[in-house]
């Protein structure tokens, strides 16, 4: 087991202020693979001060030069793509093929998009007799989750640096090794000292200290709605900017005219991806009553193709959950679904392997809209299939949760699907299996969050506006 030391502050690895450690566990075999320092409020304070000292110089750096730094970071990430993927598979359990294609591939694409945006974004415009300046907010405190450990960091670092902000990242304690690797890549790419800083630690200590720090101008958080509420309240008391990407319970609406087999197949795959540990997963499948039984049988068959296995094996399609805590949470929801009267047609609460934090890919039928498994975010490989009577009933069910992060609509043609999607209370909808677009804004309605990530809309979160009148 390797013991890592230090925090990346002011362009160098510095000794941690405290002595507490975080143990990193491989979720596939439950072995302890590393330890990292657990940061304190003192570590956070040092990182914020290093960022504050670097801010004037970075904010004054021409956008084209900031773009060049981001391009260098993209190139460095690309050169270390395999190492990134292997690290994520080791500490998160994502199958290695998924780690290479998505866990490593997506953040490289996002970094590339911000290298281009930094060079082309209109940071200044004329409106009648005014010149309007879009200026960097300042010091950003970024608190990131474990489910996409590099993507969620780059989705904050990219726009922050493109805007001229500086940043302190507190990564999730379950996946700190990916964050440390990224800090090394930042260093290798030659970013100026203090522009990017990293403090590993636990949320109630390091995360809270970062959110509360008076020299942090914006807190960007991705995680649970419960924690997002606390961060929002803390920021509100200090009149501090926040960007919150929170939970989801997204609906996959299959209209009667849709290609049912394709819609069900893609819908099941969407939830099984990353073992269901995706906030935007389409965990509620809505099917017209006339085709309900057919959809259930299709889902049963497709779920059977996701056999939990060693994530290092290129043939594995389903890895473990990230931790024992997450495994028990998901099993608890499966047991709750059974107790509430839902019917298990695939999987269930039993362990598919004696070792590792695995949960069987599970499909529920006879789910009603008020059940916990249809209302609450499970964050595991669990699909709930609900029936609807007509389009208005489908819309009521789709919009009938506190969340509004993502969703999907399937129909015989895109126009029909789009008409339904326009009525959904959610931030992003895929039409007939539309591809993910890293330039499109990502974020939610209702309790799924505040603000947007990715593309030009994500960059705008890190800017503030000044008007000069002539």
């Amino acid at each position: 087991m390797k013991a890592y030391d230090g925090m990346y502050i002011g362009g160098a690895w510095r000794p941690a202020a405290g002595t507490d450690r975080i143990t990193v566990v491989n979720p596939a075999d439950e072995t302890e693979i590393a330890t990292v320092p657990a940061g304190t409020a003192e570590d956070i304070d040092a990182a914020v001060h290093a960022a504050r000292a670097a801010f004037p110089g970075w904010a004054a750096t021409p956008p084209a030069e900031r773009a060049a730094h981001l391009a260098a970071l993209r190139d460095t990430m690309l050169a270390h793509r395999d190492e990134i993927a292997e690290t994520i598979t080791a500490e998160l359990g994502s199958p290695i093929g998924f780690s290479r294609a998505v866990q490593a591939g997506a953040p490289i694409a996002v970094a590339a998009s911000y290298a281009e945006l930094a060079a082309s974004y209109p940071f200044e415009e004329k409106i009648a007799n005014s010149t309007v300046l879009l200026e960097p907010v300042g010091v950003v405190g970024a608190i990131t989750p474990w489910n996409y450990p590099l993507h969620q960091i780059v989705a904050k670092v990219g726009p922050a640096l493109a805007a001229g902000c500086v940043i302190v990242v507190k990564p999730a304690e379950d996946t700190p090794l990916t964050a440390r690797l990224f800090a090394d890549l930042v260093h290798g790419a030659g970013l100026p000292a203090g522009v990017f800083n990293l403090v590993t630690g636990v949320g109630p200590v390091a995360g809270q200290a970062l959110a509360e720090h008076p020299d942090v101008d914006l807190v960007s958080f991705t995680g649970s709605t419960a924690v997002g509420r606390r961060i929002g309240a803390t920021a509100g008391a200090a009149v501090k900017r926040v960007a919150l990407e929170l939970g989801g319970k997204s609906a996959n609406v299959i209209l009667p005219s849709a290609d049912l087999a394709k819609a069900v197949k893609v819908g099941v795959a969407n939830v099984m991806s990353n073992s269901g540990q995706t906030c935007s997963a389409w965990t509620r499948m809505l099917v017209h009553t006339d085709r309900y039984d057919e959809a259930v049988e299709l889902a049963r068959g497709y779920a059977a193709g996701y056999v939990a296995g060693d994530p290092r094996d290129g043939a594995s399609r389903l890895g473990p959950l990230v931790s024992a805590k997450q495994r028990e949470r998901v099993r608890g929801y499966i047991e709750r679904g059974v107790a509430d009267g839902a019917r298990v047609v695939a999987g269930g609460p039993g362990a598919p392997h004696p070792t590792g934090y695995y949960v069987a890919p599970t499909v529920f039928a006879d789910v009603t809209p008020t059940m916990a498994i249809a209302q609450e975010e499970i964050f595991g490989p669990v699909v709930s299939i609900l029936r609807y009577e007509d389009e208005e009933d489908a819309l009521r069910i789709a919009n009938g949760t506190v969340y509004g992060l993502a969703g999907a609509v399937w129909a015989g043609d895109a126009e029909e699907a789009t008409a339904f999607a326009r009525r959904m209370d959610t931030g992003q909808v895929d039409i007939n299996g539309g591809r993910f677009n890293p330039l499109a804004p990502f974020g939610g309605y209702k309790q799924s969050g505040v603000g947007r990530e990715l593309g030009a809309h994500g960059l705008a979160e890190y800017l503030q506006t000044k008007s000069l009148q002539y």
Side-chain angles (χ1 to χ4, degrees):
M1 181 170 63
K2 185 169 183 178
Y4 292 90
D5 292 315
M7 308 295 186
Y8 189 75
I9 297 174
W13 290 102
R14 300 183 182 180
T19 58
D20 288 347
R21 309 284 297 178
I22 295 169
T23 300
V24 183
V25 176
N26 183 326
D29 58 18
E30 302 181 45
T31 59
E32 296 179 352
I33 57 176
T35 65
V36 300
T40 65
E42 186 178 345
D43 293 308
I44 291 292
D45 187 61
V48 172
H49 279 102
R52 177 61 66 188
F55 175 60
W58 183 249
T61 300
E65 190 174 332
R66 297 201 296 262
H69 279 292
L70 285 166
L73 178 58
R74 172 206 61 204
D75 292 344
T76 303
M77 292 167 62
L78 185 59
H80 290 81
R81 183 172 186 157
D82 286 346
E83 184 181 1
I84 292 168
E86 289 163 5
T87 302
I88 293 173
T89 292
E91 67 178 350
L92 175 60
S94 289
I96 188 63
F98 184 83
S99 289
R100 290 194 184 104
V102 178
Q103 294 281 16
I108 291 170
V110 170
S113 74
Y114 281 112
E116 294 178 6
L117 271 171
S120 62
Y121 194 85
F123 291 101
E124 184 174 319
E125 66 173 323
K126 292 286 293 183
I127 302 177
N129 64 306
S130 299
T131 297
V132 178
L133 309 178
L134 298 177
E135 300 181 334
V137 169
V139 176
V140 175
I143 302 172
T144 62
W146 46 260
N147 59 327
Y148 289 89
L150 184 58
H151 171 68
Q152 296 290 356
I153 290 174
V154 174
K156 300 179 190 306
V157 170
L161 269 55
C165 295
V166 292
I167 193 165
V168 177
V169 174
K170 201 297 286 182
E173 49 263 41
D174 290 303
T175 53
L177 304 184
T178 302
R180 290 184 63 94
L181 173 57
F182 180 71
D184 284 335
L185 299 182
V186 166
H187 190 83
L191 263 70
V195 170
F196 170 88
N197 306 271
L198 177 76
V199 175
T200 54
V202 299
V205 179
Q208 184 171 336
L210 185 58
E212 294 178 346
H213 200 289
D215 276 338
V216 169
D217 301 296
L218 182 152
V219 179
S220 180
F221 169 77
T222 299
S224 72
T225 296
V227 175
R229 288 193 196 100
R230 294 198 292 271
I231 289 174
T234 296
V239 196
K240 183 180 300 188
R241 294 265 296 269
V242 294
L244 305 173
E245 199 267 276
L246 308 176
K249 194 67 184 175
S250 301
N252 179 19
V253 182
I254 305 174
L255 296 177
S257 63
D259 180 338
L260 185 66
K262 181 179 180 181
V264 173
K265 181 179 182 179
V266 176
V268 170
N270 175 276
V271 178
M272 299 307 158
S273 175
N274 208 36
S275 298
Q277 299 170 131
T278 302
C279 55
S280 57
W282 312 333
T283 52
R284 295 181 297 145
M285 183 181 292
L286 277 57
V287 184
H288 190 274
T289 187
D290 290 346
R291 307 195 72 184
Y292 186 82
D293 291 340
E294 183 184 356
V296 169
E297 289 306 308
L298 286 167
R300 183 206 306 271
Y302 292 135
Y306 290 86
V307 179
D310 186 342
R312 295 167 297 183
D313 183 343
S316 293
R317 301 178 70 190
L318 189 74
L321 300 183
V322 69
S323 64
K325 177 182 178 182
Q326 186 64 16
R327 177 188 60 191
E328 295 314 306
R329 168 188 167 86
V330 174
R331 283 181 178 171
Y333 270 110
I334 295 173
E335 292 168 353
R336 174 74 180 275
V338 172
D340 287 347
R343 175 166 54 98
V344 175
V345 298
H353 290 289
T355 304
Y357 306 134
Y358 291 92
V359 171
T362 299
V363 176
F364 277 108
D366 302 334
V367 179
T368 62
T370 59
M371 289 181 180
I373 59 172
Q375 288 290 320
E376 299 176 21
E377 187 174 45
I378 299 173
F379 231 58
V382 182
V383 180
S384 295
I385 309 180
L386 298 89
R387 68 175 77 232
Y388 66 85
E389 298 296 328
D390 54 31
E391 238 181 71
E392 292 305 314
D393 191 33
L395 185 69
R396 176 185 61 80
I397 296 169
N399 289 341
T401 75
V402 298
Y403 298 110
L405 184 57
V409 183
W410 300 81
D413 62 71
E415 185 176 343
E416 180 186 1
T418 300
F420 189 95
R422 288 180 181 275
R423 303 170 69 195
M424 294 175 71
D425 298 334
T426 189
Q428 190 171 68
V429 185
D430 292 349
I431 304 297
N432 287 340
R435 294 181 295 109
F436 177 73
N437 179 3
L439 299 178
F442 180 83
Y445 286 21
K446 300 187 285 188
Q447 292 188 28
S448 285
V450 177
R452 292 294 181 267
E453 292 189 324
L454 304 180
H457 292 269
L459 177 54
E461 295 290 335
Y462 297 87
L463 296 168
Q464 55 190 350
T465 307
K466 178 188 292 181
S467 296
L468 309 178
Q469 280 60 250
Y470 294 91

